[in-house]
Amino acid sequence: MSAFHNRTRRSPSIPRKLLREGKFYLVPLYYLLLTSDLASEGIRNSGSYRFADHIYAGKPGGKYLVGYLLDALFLRMKPARSFRARYLFAKDEILRFIRSKQADGPEIEILAVPCGLAREMFEAAQELRVGGHPLYEKTAWHGLDLDPELIARLSKRAEDSSHNMSFRCGDALLEGSYGRGYDIIISLGLGEFLDDAHLLEFYKLAHAHLKPGGVFVTSGIKSQRFSDYLLRNIGELHTYYRSATDLRAFANETGFKETRTYHDPTGLLTMMVAGDQFPLVSPEP
Ligand SMILES: C[S@@+](CC[C@H](N)C(=O)[O-])C[C@H]1O[C@@H](n2cnc3c(N)ncnc32)[C@H](O)[C@@H]1O
């Protein structure tokens, strides 16, 4: 059965859970955190696409001045900066890949899975269109996510934007959701919620659905003690932390022949590009 792997909260009431566990000192903090848009989204809906996109957008919001200030503080902290960097890196990888291709080459197919609000795709497509890039017209953008409401919203947005984008509802861990081969598969914000066995299964699906010369772009994050403590105890937001070595080991076990990894300036984030051809992405012309 399909599962929303990002929805990790189990307790109906966090304050009651904290009291049960004897962590009464965290209850006032819980109520304070609810004033920040980011923290309240994390507490209510765990690792939702709204939570992720609030960080990507980087615009503080909250109830009263205190909520706004708290939110601004969270967005400036290391883990949030790393988190934001992953969508910017993903967008760069897309643009770099497309710009490395010949204008008279075949159509380029890009998939984001799970797509969430697909910020990296909308921004990359817009940059290519505004810049008059010859491959803009030849690029097809696809998004896959398990949330039907989100898919309906994105389909409307794609229509309004008139980019060549299509979104569909499906389980990232099911073969039947993929349908075709892609030049780039981007995956942000799923691997962190998958245990090792599911992550391997997911990487295998991505590998099997890449066209020759295609690349899989994904990320992993290292733990930061303070934010991990808050996320686990107050948000019940449980994630798997993995290093570059871990991500590469999964890619190798999957059968990818080449991997390239790099970090954001804080060192918490690892981006990985995996494929079967070397070089993975040609340098920018
Ligand atoms: C943290 S968000 C990340 C979304 C997006 N990639 C981003 O970076 O903003 C997690 C997304 O995974 C989706 N999701 C969770 N389990 C899924 C599954 N089994 N198959 C497809 N999508 C899933 C959720 O609906 C949600 O949109």
Side-chain angles (χ1 to χ4, degrees):
M1 210 183 82
S2 295
F4 280 92
H5 295 280
N6 59 319
R7 297 184 184 170
T8 57
R9 176 168 166 175
R10 298 286 172 264
S11 307
S13 162
I14 299 283
R16 259 187 271 140
K17 179 203 82 145
L18 291 172
L19 291 174
R20 227 179 17 249
E21 291 172 352
K23 295 176 179 156
F24 49 86
Y25 46 89
L26 289 180
V27 175
L29 185 57
Y30 164 82
Y31 286 106
L32 178 67
L33 289 179
L34 282 183
T35 60
S36 137
D37 283 356
L38 180 66
S40 73
E41 179 61 26
I43 289 169
R44 294 204 165 98
N45 297 311
S46 319
S48 69
Y49 65 83
R50 285 186 212 89
F51 179 86
D53 207 73
H54 184 79
I55 299 179
Y56 299 162
K59 292 204 181 93
K63 265 196 242 155
Y64 322 116
L65 182 63
V66 65
Y68 178 89
L69 292 175
L70 258 182
D71 212 72
L73 177 74
F74 290 144
L75 291 175
R76 288 173 68 105
M77 284 167 69
K78 257 193 190 181
R81 283 189 277 131
S82 296
F83 198 101
R84 181 164 196 271
R86 77 182 188 188
Y87 112 82
L88 293 169
F89 283 133
K91 184 170 89 173
D92 277 357
E93 292 293 345
I94 295 173
L95 291 172
R96 190 159 5 151
F97 185 94
I98 294 177
R99 287 175 179 146
S100 74
K101 298 292 170 195
Q102 302 287 345
D104 58 354
E107 188 179 64
I108 296 173
E109 308 269 356
I110 301 177
L111 171 72
V113 50
C115 58
L117 284 170
R119 184 178 277 270
E120 71 282 11
M121 289 210 305
F122 277 100
E123 288 188 9
Q126 185 62 15
E127 277 184 36
L128 292 172
R129 176 159 66 189
V130 170
H133 196 282
L135 287 175
Y136 169 73
E137 299 291 348
K138 287 177 117 180
T139 304
W141 312 79
H142 307 266
L144 174 68
D145 200 287
L146 197 54
D147 184 334
E149 268 176 44
L150 169 69
I151 293 301
R153 184 174 160 195
L154 285 168
S155 302
K156 166 88 181 59
R157 198 174 153 208
E159 207 181 306
D160 294 346
S161 71
S162 73
H163 293 310
N164 181 12
M165 283 188 184
S166 59
F167 293 93
R168 60 183 188 277
C169 197
D171 188 336
L173 293 178
L174 287 183
E175 166 90 47
S177 306
Y178 288 78
R180 70 177 78 202
Y182 302 91
D183 297 281
I184 312 180
I185 297 181
I186 301 273
S187 184
L188 305 176
L190 179 65
E192 293 83 347
F193 298 103
L194 299 180
D195 62 25
D196 289 359
H198 281 108
L199 188 71
L200 195 60
E201 215 179 294
F202 176 55
Y203 276 23
K204 282 185 178 160
L205 283 171
H207 187 225
H209 291 90
L210 283 180
K211 290 192 209 166
V215 291
F216 175 48
V217 179
T218 191
S219 67
I221 202 124
K222 277 199 238 161
S223 158
Q224 215 236 12
R225 226 188 299 160
F226 176 65
S227 64
D228 184 55
Y229 180 81
L230 288 186
L231 290 171
R232 278 182 196 281
N233 285 285
I234 299 189
E236 285 195 342
L237 216 168
H238 301 284
T239 52
Y240 291 87
Y241 295 106
R242 295 185 176 104
S243 65
T245 311
D246 298 330
L247 296 189
R248 277 200 304 267
F250 281 103
N252 291 338
E253 198 176 337
T254 303
F256 282 107
K257 295 196 176 76
E258 294 291 335
T259 53
R260 168 163 66 81
T261 54
Y262 53 95
H263 301 285
D264 74 317
T266 73
L268 290 178
L269 175 81
T270 300
M271 289 299 295
M272 179 173 74
V273 182
D276 286 335
Q277 278 179 21
F278 186 80
L280 286 174
V281 180
S282 322
E284 230 152 312

